[in-house]
Amino acid sequence: MNFDLIISNILNPPVLFYFLGLIATQIGSDLEVPQPLPKLFSLYLLLSIGFKGGLEISKSGFHQQALITLLAASLMAVIIPLYSYVILRRKLNSANSAAIAATYGSVSAVTFIAATSFLSKLSVTFNGYMVAAMALMESPAIVVGVALSRMSRKKSEEQDSWKHIFQEAFLNGSIVLLAGSLVIGLLTGEEGEKAIKPFTGDIFKGVLCLFLLDMGLVSGRRFSDLKSLGIFPVAFAILMPLFNASLAIFIAHLLGLSFGDALLFSVLCASASYIAVPAAVRLAIPEANPSFYVTMALAVTFPFNILIGLPIYLTVIKKFWG
């Protein structure tokens, strides 16, 4: 492996601010990002990345390669929770297995944004339709996870509960903002880019630094929960992203994706949701333990992907792509 890539990634300012948040919690500092600023940062990042994606699509268009990639992304969002559930059921009950499977079948927008920042630092280009792929991958895994949980229950559930599940899966704020921003970028094109360029361009990395600082604080507070998980969930939270990324890289190679698109596709498949899925699972699978699916995604998989996963995936892709 190219350790220079790992060092380069760690020395990226947003990642260093994530480390700062981690360290602050461990030394007992009272550093915090006051609410509701973290949510504002999240909204800004989703708006910015969605708008940029729509802008890129307006330049390149929805061609055959884009449609095939979006189809592959949607299928992975369905397949990953299925085989994850089978593996998890060997050690955990049905409710926790379904919740974790949904978590790892869905995606982390923040990990995706960090990956785009990583590519930008390396001057590697990627296509805007990968943002659409992220939007498409967030919801199917939630529905699959809930369906798996439902099938394992003996007692029938209220039929109207599915209405709330679909609302959480397809109409939650992050998905609506991301998809809406993408459409706005697509419709306005270069004129729209000129109109709001300082907002979506110049301040992007600064906001990302603040957001990852807060994520470091949140992750650091979750580290104490790791002791209660045991070895299996922690191992799963590291090995499953590696497996999913390997499978994604193989598929990306078959599809002929570009270097940058291949990395983003692998990151999407390797990441785990800690925003959209917990909101839906809390309602749909209330018996599942949040200390499993939230802690695994936020305190293990997220920092692993940000610090180590990105350089690993890029090294493997470089070897395949030449």
Side-chain angles (χ1 to χ4, degrees):
M1 188 199 311
N2 188 344
F3 288 98
D4 289 340
L5 276 175
I6 296 179
I7 299 300
S8 176
N9 184 46
I10 291 175
L11 293 181
N12 199 9
V15 176
L16 288 175
F17 274 99
Y18 177 80
F19 266 124
L20 177 60
L22 285 177
I23 294 170
T25 60
Q26 302 308 305
I27 63 176
S29 170
D30 62 354
L31 175 65
E32 65 176 330
V33 178
Q35 297 294 338
L37 286 179
K39 185 164 186 178
L40 176 63
F41 299 152
S42 178
L43 291 174
Y44 166 79
L45 292 171
L46 289 171
L47 183 154
S48 181
I49 199 71
F51 183 84
K52 290 176 182 176
L55 177 64
E56 291 302 318
I57 293 173
S58 73
K59 294 177 181 177
S60 61
F62 266 116
H63 44 78
Q64 183 180 6
Q65 181 70 69
L67 295 176
I68 292 174
T69 303
L70 295 178
L71 177 61
S74 301
L75 288 175
M76 287 297 284
V78 173
I79 294 170
I80 290 174
L82 290 176
Y83 63 70
S84 296
Y85 180 80
V86 173
I87 295 171
L88 290 161
R89 281 294 284 133
R90 294 178 177 272
K91 295 288 186 180
L92 302 174
N93 62 31
S94 177
N96 284 320
S97 297
I100 297 170
T103 299
Y104 282 82
S106 189
V107 296
S108 164
V110 181
T111 308
F112 180 87
I113 292 169
T116 63
S117 176
F118 183 52
L119 287 175
S120 297
K121 184 180 179 183
L122 298 174
S123 299
V124 177
T125 59
F126 57 91
N127 284 295
Y129 58 73
M130 293 308 299
V131 180
M134 176 176 64
L136 284 174
M137 290 183 73
E138 189 155 19
S139 299
I142 298 174
V143 178
V144 172
V146 173
L148 290 169
S149 174
R150 289 284 191 273
M151 287 189 295
S152 68
R153 292 178 182 174
K154 294 181 180 179
K155 296 181 179 180
S156 61
E157 299 290 330
E158 296 180 7
Q159 293 182 356
D160 65 351
S161 65
W162 280 100
K163 176 183 176 182
H164 300 294
I165 294 164
F166 278 96
Q167 284 179 337
E168 287 290 342
F170 294 101
L171 298 178
N172 75 67
S174 61
I175 294 176
V176 171
L177 178 60
L178 183 67
S181 300
L182 187 144
V183 172
I184 292 171
L186 178 61
L187 293 175
T188 58
E190 293 185 5
E191 289 300 318
E193 180 186 25
K194 292 176 183 176
I196 62 172
K197 186 175 182 180
F199 181 71
T200 58
D202 296 340
I203 67 172
F204 180 84
K205 270 207 170 181
V207 175
L208 181 59
C209 288
L210 287 169
F211 184 75
L212 285 181
L213 170 66
D214 182 66
M215 292 306 303
L217 293 168
V218 175
S219 298
R221 297 184 190 114
R222 284 279 178 182
F223 277 159
S224 60
D225 296 337
L226 291 177
K227 298 176 183 178
S228 64
L229 295 184
I231 296 176
F232 176 76
V234 175
F236 181 93
I238 294 174
L239 296 178
M240 185 53 65
L242 289 172
F243 177 79
N244 290 341
S246 300
L247 179 59
I249 291 170
F250 175 73
I251 293 172
H253 194 262
L254 288 179
L255 296 179
L257 297 189
S258 68
F259 189 89
D261 291 350
L263 178 68
L264 293 182
F265 185 66
S266 65
V267 166
L268 287 173
C269 294
S271 63
S273 172
Y274 49 82
I275 298 175
V277 170
V281 166
R282 193 179 300 118
L283 170 71
I285 317 176
E287 63 272 31
N289 187 350
S291 68
F292 278 102
Y293 57 88
V294 175
T295 304
M296 288 169 65
L298 187 55
V300 183
T301 300
F302 176 70
F304 172 79
N305 275 327
I306 291 290
L307 303 176
I308 301 173
L310 284 174
I312 291 177
Y313 310 149
L314 188 64
T315 299
V316 175
I317 290 170
K318 274 188 172 181
K319 189 169 184 179
F320 272 88
W321 269 249

